[in-house]
Amino acid sequence: MRIVITIGGSIIISEFSHEMFRAYADILNSLRDEHDLFVVVGGGRPARDYIGVARELGASEARCDDIGIDVTRLNARLLITALGDSAYPGVPENFREALEVAATGRIVVMGGTEPAHSTDAVGAILAETVEADLMINLTSVDGFYDRDPAKYPDARFYPEITASEMLEHLRGSDVRAGTYEFFDHTALHMIRRSGIRTMIVNGNDPENLLRAIDGEIGTTVIPE
């Protein structure tokens, strides 16, 4: 299959160590012979910290977004380093570049692309661009809930949901630089339009990526 994988920055660099980069690199390398892989890496807390400093300095939201994008690309470079020769050595800065370098047969790793697009949106647009068979979103919870399960123990878990239903749940959510939900509105509109099968999975265990490919875990965003 051709698979687009988005790894939240809060997952891959939560402890500011090499361990999750190495763990994900090992999993991705085990999959590369069977699948064409595209990976989008988020910024996590480092991006939010830098954005917070920029905002205190009076930077516009667009400038804050640019700073966050720079951090996602640094995280992408770290994952490329962990992957070694199996990854394309550069970080594509747009979707055309990503499609072009995929011809090398290597794993393509990228970060953000432009202001007002989360890396989940980048993943969704990339999935449509490369005509992916599957998109996997690796996040910090087990799947989609109607509200934050860390704050609300009675939050409802959805094993299946449509993009339209997710949009209803996320109506009115914060879209400033450095904020995030499961997906932003751009990502969900792209998923709904393209009909790409999408899974939301807890990425704290890198092995869940393998389970998601087998369809055994998380929330499936079903085509409409």
Side-chain angles (χ1 to χ4, degrees):
M1 290 191 294
R2 177 163 279 196
I3 306 172
V4 171
I5 300 158
T6 64
I7 307 177
S10 61
I11 297 298
I12 203 162
I13 199 164
S14 61
E15 301 299 327
F16 225 96
S17 76
H18 72 284
E19 293 178 357
M20 288 298 273
F21 288 97
R22 175 60 62 200
Y24 269 107
D26 290 345
I27 296 291
L28 292 165
N29 277 325
S30 75
L31 293 169
R32 68 180 295 260
D33 289 338
E34 294 184 44
H35 306 286
D36 295 329
L37 302 176
F38 298 78
V39 184
V40 181
V41 184
R45 181 174 178 179
R48 291 191 291 278
D49 287 347
Y50 274 106
I51 286 168
V53 172
R55 194 173 280 132
E56 289 173 358
L57 292 171
S60 68
E61 287 302 304
R63 179 63 61 86
C64 289
D65 268 327
D66 282 336
I67 291 168
I69 288 167
D70 287 340
V71 177
T72 66
R73 291 174 179 170
L74 285 173
N75 287 344
R77 289 185 182 280
L78 289 173
L79 182 57
I80 288 168
T81 301
L83 286 164
D85 291 340
S86 62
Y88 183 77
V91 179
E93 296 187 359
N94 58 59
F95 305 108
R96 184 177 66 182
E97 286 183 23
L99 188 58
E100 288 173 352
V101 302
T104 65
R106 297 184 180 187
I107 300 171
V108 178
V109 184
M110 60 190 300
T113 56
E114 61 184 87
H117 283 178
S118 69
T119 45
D120 288 336
V122 172
I125 298 168
L126 179 62
E128 184 175 79
T129 301
V130 303
E131 298 181 345
D133 301 295
L134 175 66
M135 176 175 162
I136 300 172
N137 174 252
L138 294 155
T139 185
S140 58
V141 293
D142 293 335
F144 184 82
Y145 292 80
D146 60 354
R147 49 186 178 166
D148 187 348
K151 297 179 180 177
Y152 303 96
D154 61 342
R156 177 187 173 188
F157 173 77
Y158 289 78
E160 292 186 341
I161 194 169
T162 67
S164 293
E165 290 169 335
M166 288 179 71
L167 281 165
E168 284 298 314
H169 283 295
L170 299 181
R171 188 185 299 275
S173 61
D174 195 351
V175 293
R176 296 186 305 157
T179 61
Y180 60 94
E181 298 285 348
F182 293 97
F183 288 100
D184 65 14
H185 295 78
T186 300
L188 289 170
H189 283 297
M190 293 299 297
I191 291 168
R192 182 171 64 181
R193 182 176 82 175
S194 63
I196 294 170
R197 186 164 66 96
T198 301
M199 302 192 71
I200 305 169
V201 176
N202 192 321
N204 287 306
D205 180 358
E207 293 283 340
N208 283 343
L209 175 55
L210 300 176
R211 300 181 184 104
I213 291 173
D214 293 333
E216 299 175 352
I217 197 169
T219 295
T220 299
V221 183
I222 53 179
E224 299 179 54

